[in-house]
Amino acid sequence: KSFFYIHSGIECQRRHYREHRKHCVSADPAPGSADLSLSSFSIIEPRCTRCHCKAPYANVWERYRPCCDARLCSECDTRGAEMLEKNVLELDHTNEKELKEKNPNTPCPFCGEIVADELAKIEDRVKLNPTSDVQALYVLGYTRIYGCKNSCRRPIEGCSLLEKATRFGNYEALYELGVATRDGNSGKADAAKAARIFRVAAAQGGNAKALYELGLAYLQGHGVDKDTTEAARLLDLGARENYDPCKKALANLFIDGNDLAQDRVKAAQLLGLHQTAEILKKGIEPPPFLFKQEAAVNVNDDSSTVPPSCEYTEAEMDEFFAEEDAD
């Protein structure tokens, strides 16, 4: 099966073969495909296994536990480890130093299992279920491509593992496969194929990173015909979902005014610079440090971008508004 065929697990398919056969659709994007047009977008972000808040990660091993597939947010990861260690200390009636000397590896904050070698654990899981352990295939594939955990890079093997994971609807693996295809880790670099993969991951998997990469592809003309209007539309879809990279890229288009009509008010609003936006609306020339400091984003909050307490430093504000008063 091609990785463009997104379907559920093998056991589920065996039990409901007829239903799956009716609804299994090729995701290889055809021109004008309604499913992949990205007329709308709803972001699906990784969430903490314990508290279900947003838990984005930069590296596949970040706060990931191979013993139970738990991925925790920073707070749950810290608190869980502290509570678990405290309970172990109380039960064992030993002090902290003795416990760590006996077992330097910390127990999983979610299930309590102690894993001596996390990479070996994932490799064993893939050996045991070489085609159906989706999360293990994804993690090991990523590890092989980038050489995580001090392992040797094996990009071809890694891409093969990611492709297996995508057959079961793992869109994080599909996104990483798109990156590997674009960068040539799976062999010869293929920007056109990577763009098609990003479109599938964004349209069917709600993957914001894939949407961002697709927007950049249209902006730069990599693998697709250069289309600034389409790039702005795609980036706007991500910006509406408060995805920070999309907001920054779209703001830059409005600041430059080369490809889109210049609109510094929209740019300031996208970057969370609300004071700057109000200054611009009044027709006042903004200070020279415009767009230097951006709003902080609370990744654990479902609401939206959190505005900064003060966009400018106290000295910068005094200097700027002192000149305004003098006029």
Side-chain angles (χ1 to χ4, degrees):
K1 287 277 188 181
S2 164
F3 56 80
F4 283 121
Y5 285 86
I6 308 303
H7 50 70
S8 56
I10 292 175
E11 289 302 320
C12 184
Q13 290 184 64
R14 285 174 179 168
R15 293 178 184 176
H16 310 98
Y17 172 72
R18 294 183 185 278
E19 287 79 2
H20 279 289
R21 187 175 181 181
K22 289 178 184 177
H23 296 94
C24 186
V25 180
S26 170
D28 198 355
S33 171
D35 292 336
L36 301 173
S37 62
L38 280 168
S39 56
S40 62
F41 177 76
S42 180
I43 190 171
I44 299 175
E45 294 186 281
R47 292 189 173 271
C48 174
T49 309
R50 182 185 293 275
C51 70
H52 305 293
C53 72
K54 294 178 183 178
Y57 56 92
N59 182 293
V60 73
W61 285 99
E62 186 178 348
R63 303 186 309 277
Y64 170 70
R65 307 292 172 166
C67 46
C68 56
D69 277 340
R71 187 181 297 284
L72 306 175
C73 64
S74 300
E75 188 174 352
C76 286
D77 191 48
T78 303
R79 286 187 178 181
E82 289 174 352
M83 291 173 63
L84 188 61
E85 189 170 348
K86 182 179 178 180
N87 291 336
V88 171
L89 286 169
E90 289 176 353
L91 290 172
D92 289 355
H93 300 288
T94 59
N95 60 49
E96 186 176 356
K97 184 178 179 180
E98 289 176 356
L99 180 65
K100 289 186 176 180
E101 286 176 353
K102 290 179 183 178
N103 219 321
N105 300 296
T106 58
C108 170
F110 192 72
C111 71
E113 182 178 341
I114 296 176
V115 179
D117 189 333
E118 293 183 327
L119 180 55
K121 178 76 173 180
I122 284 292
E123 290 173 336
D124 290 342
R125 285 175 54 181
V126 171
K127 287 178 183 177
L128 188 63
N129 296 295
T131 59
S132 58
D133 193 335
V134 184
Q135 190 64 19
L137 288 167
Y138 164 49
V139 173
L140 186 58
Y142 182 97
T143 303
R144 290 288 188 255
I145 290 174
Y146 298 106
C148 305
K149 296 289 184 182
N150 298 318
S151 61
C152 296
R153 292 184 70 243
R154 302 176 195 169
I156 301 296
E157 180 188 345
C159 289
S160 177
L161 291 167
L162 289 179
E163 186 173 332
K164 291 179 182 178
T166 61
R167 296 174 187 172
F168 296 91
N170 188 316
Y171 292 100
E172 289 290 328
L174 188 59
Y175 163 75
E176 293 298 343
L177 188 60
V179 173
T181 302
R182 180 198 62 194
D183 297 343
N185 287 320
S186 58
K188 185 179 179 180
D190 191 336
K193 185 177 180 181
R196 294 198 300 270
I197 295 175
F198 289 141
R199 182 173 288 277
V200 174
Q204 296 188 350
N207 190 298
K209 293 181 289 184
L211 182 73
Y212 172 71
E213 292 294 344
L214 184 62
L216 291 188
Y218 275 101
L219 187 62
Q220 300 164 357
H222 288 171
V224 293
D225 294 334
K226 186 174 180 178
D227 188 339
T228 308
T229 303
E230 178 65 6
R233 187 186 73 82
L234 293 170
L235 293 173
D236 183 60
L237 289 174
R240 290 174 185 273
E241 292 290 310
N242 290 313
Y243 185 60
D244 204 39
C246 285
K247 294 169 81 170
K248 289 180 180 179
L250 187 58
N252 286 333
L253 290 178
F254 284 125
I255 293 170
D256 295 337
N258 297 325
D259 299 305
L260 294 178
Q262 189 179 55
D263 191 332
R264 293 190 293 177
V265 173
K266 282 187 179 178
Q269 291 171 340
L270 283 165
L271 294 173
L273 299 173
H274 303 296
Q275 290 176 248
T276 299
E278 291 302 316
I279 291 173
L280 288 165
K281 284 180 182 178
K282 294 175 183 177
I284 304 172
E285 184 61 27
F289 42 84
L290 177 67
F291 305 128
K292 293 294 184 183
Q293 184 176 343
E294 296 163 8
V297 177
N298 185 352
V299 296
N300 292 325
D301 185 7
D302 287 325
S303 56
S304 62
T305 302
V306 178
S309 56
C310 178
E311 291 171 15
Y312 314 123
T313 66
E314 193 171 335
E316 286 173 329
M317 291 187 72
D318 286 343
E319 181 183 356
F320 175 68
F321 290 109
E323 291 176 0
E324 188 182 70
D325 293 338
D327 295 338

